Amino acid sequence: MHNTWLIAKREYLERVRTKGFIIATVLIPLLMGALVFGSAYMGSKSKTSSHIAVVTSDSALGTDLKHQLEGGKDSDMKVDLSQPSNETRAVLDAQLHDKSSSLAGYLWVTPPVIAGDRPSFTYTARSAGDIATQGAIESALGSVLMREHLESKGMAGSDIDALVAPVKVDTSASGNTTTAFFAAYTLFFLMYMVIMLYGMNTARSIIEEKTSRVFEVLLATIKPEELLAGKILGVGAVGLTQIGIWMIAAGALSSSSLAASLIGTTGHGLISATQIGFFVLYFVFGFLLYSSIAAALGAMTNSEQELQQLNMFLVLPLAFCMVMLFSIIRAPNSTLARVVSLIPFCSPLLMNFRISLTQVPAWEIWLSVVLMSATIFAILWVSSRIYRVGILMYGKKPNLPEILRWLKYS
Amino acid sequence: MPIVELQNIRKVYDTKVAVEGLTLTIEPGTMFGLLGPNGSGKTSSIRMMIGMTVPDSGTVRLFDKPFARTLLHRVGYLPEERGLYKKMKVIDQLVFLGQLHGLDEATARKRSLAWCERMEITEAIGKKTEELSKGMQQKIQFIAALLHEPDLVIMDEPFSGLDPVNATLLMDTLVALRSEGKAILFSTHRMDQVEKLCDAIALISRGKLLLSGSMREIKSHYPRNRVQIVFTGDDSFLRHPGIVEAKNYSGIAEIKVQDEAVAQQVLAEAVARGTHINRFEVIEPTLEEIFIENVRASFGDAEAGGRVDA
């Protein structure tokens, strides 16, 4: 245990002191900040602001529509109103083809044949790809028509406002899917990133020791499993430090008043303390589990190139989890979901996902933790075997039967 | 109490027999030379001594106890292929390795500094390993193997790649350690070093022990039958019937005699005939000759399908 601690400590201190670590730790939050502020800024500028023309004989409808489009929630358009006449269409068509004109399209309102029916609408656009404008017109028309209809039935303006106001359902008591999905995705991408960055670093650090032949001195005093465990913990702690710093930075960023004023006050803020606890628990276990796979890969290979060929063993289980995510969200308590979430390679993502979706029995949570721990130790045991034999016969790339035979050596 | 006792150990890698029936004993206070041509199983034997690999059969005893990892805190090991963390500072590296051998940080630091001074590399203490010359790196690793004051020092090719000044410094250090009562085992190809330093040797070839014992014992098995004579005047004494073979390079004669006693007769006869003798030397067989002779024989026998009895 003492030796494992020494190895881990050395690994941690040496890595944290490198320029690469410091640069990545500082730069990523800066980029993250730039991205958040940048997209918030872009978002505020992205209201549809096209210039269109509305041709209608119904001036009340025209005015309402103009009002809605020019001052609506998410549109900031310029609307010209005109009465239909023989020349109107020709003039507008000419404008659409004129490059110097800013007209994006025109809406032609044909009055209904039978009074009381809906008029029909035709929108001719300069560009067929201008979906935003089209969408804005459709939603504006919808609310204008409804308002008109309700008014015609004798409803007061204030009553209409109250009726039209959007409904909010509070689902925080039972946990909501959006939050769960958000948490699962965050976890997935965090895991993916950290495993690819630091899991591979564990493997690399093992390979580095092989090429520099330091291991020979180390193995003269300590056991391979102590060495590998030390590596996983040391490199892991570096990863957690970095993620921790990024998380704090992200937290500070999203709670800063500047960000709040730009993004709007409706943050997520719905993840409960228990969920955060499980998130951390499964994150740590997932990290250790995948790092130990990476350590096994490092123990098997002699160079970075060989390692690259094997890194699918890290990615495949993660991809499998991603696929399962969709069937779990539909039925989080189905047998399939329960079995899959107990597979040690999937528990970190899927069990946590289920916990955020539904009430998972405590025994299942405990079982997943026990299974994950057992798997970590099993992988460590196997890879330390491979490591010990592998390093003594370096130079040659092992094949599977050889690796299996190595397990028998001690 | 023997420090190391290997009893009939055998190790096979797949189909290659690395070590076959090796038995040897190292006493405290001895400098033990493990000799053998490349690929003869020296490193494999050493690795079994320190538990990096386990013999397929046979027993390893350290300090008169069956092998246990806890005993490794009393062993210092310098592997054949040197390895240090490139980006780590020398002092941090030494302290780390000292701690792995069971020292606390303060002791490890204190001893590291003292050793760096002794090995004349004080200026390297604050530098990173990659900035140092190969010889300096080797000295650092040498220190790392000795920091925890081991009772058994095992060094695989400790002098390879060192200039004569540094090689002498290391040799003197090893001699000093021996006089403190520590057992030292090293492997080498350099027979002159072994001849100068070792009290006992083991010669292995193709995984098998060819010779072992104290230096004097081994040499006594080989007849002192060669004589070099530097003379002026009459060379008729060279026709003495006891001389098997004689080469005369105008004044320097190299002769091979039937046995040691004949040498004295030859000298007496030369003096009687009035030859002026400037130098008369009965030459001991050098270790190098013994080495080459034995290794050749082991390969020759093996090729002929025979067995080597050593």
Side-chain angles (χ1 to χ4, degrees):
Chain A
M1 216 42 231
H2 179 65
N3 289 335
T4 306
W5 161 245
L6 282 173
I7 298 277
K9 192 177 112 190
R10 190 205 77 86
E11 200 70 39
Y12 182 79
L13 289 178
E14 287 300 310
R15 275 170 195 279
V16 166
R17 281 183 199 149
T18 57
K19 286 193 193 79
F21 177 84
I22 295 165
I23 290 170
T25 311
V26 173
L27 268 189
I28 298 270
L30 281 182
L31 284 176
M32 234 156 48
L35 210 69
V36 168
F37 286 115
S39 62
Y41 179 74
M42 296 299 282
S44 70
K45 288 271 165 186
S46 70
K47 282 183 175 179
T48 24
S49 55
S50 321
H51 172 201
I52 63 161
V54 174
V55 186
T56 176
S57 49
D58 182 348
S59 62
L61 176 76
T63 322
D64 276 351
L65 194 59
K66 180 181 163 77
H67 178 73
Q68 188 79 19
L69 284 174
E70 285 184 339
K73 188 155 60 74
D74 44 27
S75 61
D76 189 16
M77 294 160 98
K78 183 165 180 280
V79 179
D80 296 335
L81 285 177
S82 54
Q83 291 288 327
S85 69
N86 290 339
E87 301 95 65
T88 321
R89 190 179 286 273
V91 169
L92 286 170
D93 276 338
Q95 268 190 42
L96 276 186
H97 289 104
D98 181 5
K99 286 207 168 69
S100 64
S101 156
S102 66
L103 195 71
Y106 62 88
L107 182 74
W108 196 281
V109 184
T110 318
V113 186
I114 306 157
D117 265 10
R118 271 193 176 185
S120 61
F121 304 93
T122 318
Y123 180 64
T124 314
R126 186 193 290 262
S127 146
D130 191 0
I131 304 163
T133 308
Q134 197 185 320
I137 294 171
E138 274 171 9
S139 76
L141 274 175
S143 68
V144 167
L145 285 176
M146 179 159 77
R147 192 170 276 272
E148 234 178 27
H149 186 74
L150 289 173
E151 268 171 3
S152 74
K153 296 280 182 197
M155 216 176 212
S158 57
D159 288 344
I160 298 172
D161 283 340
L163 186 69
V164 173
V167 181
K168 273 218 173 100
V169 179
D170 183 8
T171 54
S172 57
S174 62
N176 80 39
T177 4
T178 326
T179 315
F181 237 161
F182 175 74
Y185 267 86
T186 314
L187 186 65
F188 177 79
F189 285 112
L190 262 181
M191 292 273 288
Y192 186 83
M193 192 168 72
V194 172
I195 286 165
M196 288 321 278
L197 273 174
Y198 290 99
M200 289 317 259
N201 265 355
T202 312
R204 248 177 241 127
S205 141
I206 289 166
I207 291 176
E208 183 203 319
E209 231 156 58
K210 281 196 204 180
T211 31
S212 71
R213 310 295 291 167
V214 183
F215 70 88
E216 209 164 339
V217 182
L218 302 182
L219 288 195
T221 48
I222 65 173
K223 291 190 213 149
E225 42 270 47
E226 289 175 324
L227 178 63
L228 292 185
K231 289 267 169 199
I232 291 171
L233 293 177
V235 180
V238 177
L240 293 179
T241 306
Q242 196 159 59
I243 292 285
I245 292 173
W246 290 347
M247 288 297 214
I248 292 168
L253 209 64
S254 59
S255 66
S256 74
S257 55
L258 185 60
S261 69
L262 276 174
I263 303 167
T265 44
T266 52
H268 292 282
L270 291 168
I271 305 173
S272 69
T274 337
Q275 275 178 6
I276 291 172
F278 278 119
F279 182 102
V280 172
L281 174 84
Y282 280 100
F283 181 76
V284 169
F285 266 102
F287 187 77
L288 289 177
L289 188 79
Y290 279 91
S291 292
S292 61
I293 304 177
L297 297 182
M300 269 182 244
T301 47
N302 289 311
S303 69
E304 188 103 350
Q305 287 90 323
E306 284 175 45
L307 182 67
Q308 293 298 334
Q309 293 167 2
L310 291 178
N311 68 11
M312 61 172 180
F313 286 107
L314 288 180
V315 182
L316 280 181
L318 285 174
F320 174 73
C321 292
M322 212 49 214
V323 174
M324 293 317 290
L325 221 55
F326 296 101
S327 53
I328 287 182
I329 200 163
R330 257 181 271 125
N333 283 325
S334 66
T335 319
L336 175 75
R338 292 170 69 171
V339 168
V340 166
S341 63
L342 281 173
I343 298 175
F345 301 101
C346 302
S347 294
L349 290 166
L350 300 184
M351 189 57 90
N352 186 45
F353 187 52
R354 279 185 62 210
I355 289 171
S356 57
L357 282 180
T358 176
Q359 291 290 328
V360 179
W363 69 266
E364 282 186 28
I365 295 173
W366 282 112
L367 184 61
S368 76
V369 170
V370 169
L371 284 176
M372 284 190 291
S373 314
T375 312
I376 291 168
F377 280 109
I379 295 176
L380 261 186
W381 184 84
V382 168
S383 38
S384 65
R385 269 308 114 130
I386 294 174
Y387 182 70
R388 188 188 290 197
V389 183
I391 51 170
L392 301 177
M393 302 188 189
Y394 54 96
K396 189 166 146 274
K397 204 173 155 188
N399 52 31
L400 194 62
E402 262 175 322
I403 290 173
L404 292 177
R405 212 170 325 133
W406 288 356
L407 294 181
K408 284 185 273 178
Y409 285 137
S410 48
Chain B
M1 180 198 83
I3 300 285
V4 180
E5 244 185 313
L6 301 183
Q7 193 60 247
N8 206 17
I9 57 167
R10 177 188 158 89
K11 181 82 189 171
V12 182
Y13 290 118
D14 284 344
T15 54
K16 193 186 178 297
V17 181
V19 179
E20 170 96 75
L22 180 66
T23 300
L24 58 84
T25 310
I26 301 173
E27 298 293 335
T30 47
M31 189 87 82
F32 192 96
L34 187 60
L35 316 177
N38 296 326
S40 56
K42 294 184 300 256
T43 303
S44 296
S45 307
I46 288 176
R47 282 180 173 162
M48 283 186 273
M49 268 179 231
I50 55 170
M52 257 167 93
T53 52
V54 181
D56 298 337
S57 63
T59 52
V60 179
R61 289 174 70 82
L62 290 182
F63 309 106
D64 216 17
K65 292 185 192 99
F67 179 84
R69 296 201 67 88
T70 46
L71 297 172
L72 288 176
H73 280 310
R74 295 171 64 189
V75 179
Y77 173 53
L78 176 76
E80 182 180 6
E81 282 179 88
R82 322 283 185 245
L84 291 166
Y85 292 106
K86 290 194 191 75
K87 307 263 176 210
M88 214 172 167
K89 280 183 188 159
V90 169
I91 184 72
D92 293 340
Q93 193 134 220
L94 286 173
V95 170
F96 169 67
L97 291 171
Q99 281 179 298
L100 277 185
H101 282 99
L103 298 179
D104 63 84
E105 196 181 334
T107 317
R109 191 171 294 275
K110 206 175 74 199
R111 287 192 194 165
S112 302
L113 293 173
W115 268 106
C116 283
E117 207 164 308
R118 185 165 170 188
M119 299 310 291
E120 299 163 7
I121 48 167
T122 319
E123 77 274 14
I125 285 172
K127 287 186 183 160
K128 285 182 183 170
T129 316
E130 60 184 358
E131 299 164 17
L132 302 177
S133 72
K134 230 180 151 193
M136 275 215 197
Q137 294 188 21
Q138 193 158 336
K139 281 181 174 178
I140 288 157
Q141 203 152 8
F142 184 81
I143 294 173
L146 299 174
L147 272 184
H148 55 296
E149 300 182 343
D151 296 315
L152 170 63
V153 180
I154 297 177
M155 302 204 155
D156 210 347
E157 300 279 352
F159 310 114
S160 69
L162 283 181
D163 64 59
V165 178
N166 283 317
T168 311
L169 185 63
L170 250 65
M171 274 184 224
D172 292 348
T173 313
L174 290 182
V175 170
L177 288 172
R178 170 176 58 180
S179 64
E180 288 168 29
K182 308 202 156 147
I184 297 151
L185 175 139
F186 66 88
S187 75
T188 182
H189 303 289
R190 297 271 307 272
M191 295 304 147
D192 55 326
Q193 292 164 347
V194 178
E195 207 141 18
K196 210 156 51 176
L197 292 171
C198 289
D199 309 305
I201 61 158
L203 172 58
I204 57 176
S205 176
R206 303 165 72 94
K208 288 174 191 159
L209 188 68
L210 298 184
L211 276 178
S212 75
S214 74
M215 202 67 135
R216 207 164 301 143
E217 221 174 271
I218 286 171
K219 285 204 168 175
S220 69
H221 288 303
Y222 289 83
R224 290 150 54 100
N225 63 350
R226 291 189 310 135
V227 183
Q228 195 184 50
I229 308 157
V230 182
F231 66 96
T232 43
D234 185 16
D235 64 358
S236 59
F237 69 95
L238 291 176
R239 284 185 286 277
H240 186 277
I243 294 175
V244 180
E245 195 188 318
K247 281 180 197 149
N248 187 359
Y249 308 98
S250 58
I252 303 168
E254 281 177 5
I255 60 173
K256 204 170 175 185
V257 293
Q258 274 164 352
D259 60 67
E260 225 175 308
V262 174
Q264 299 308 316
Q265 294 168 18
V266 172
L267 177 62
E269 191 166 329
V271 172
R273 285 171 192 248
T275 311
H276 186 78
I277 305 290
N278 293 322
R279 195 150 67 87
F280 184 89
E281 191 185 1
V282 179
I283 300 166
E284 276 199 319
T286 61
L287 202 54
E288 192 156 345
E289 286 162 337
I290 297 174
F291 178 88
I292 292 170
E293 193 186 317
N294 276 283
V295 170
R296 281 238 177 94
S298 81
F299 277 85
D301 282 6
E303 272 154 22
R307 248 189 97 238
V308 179
D309 289 315

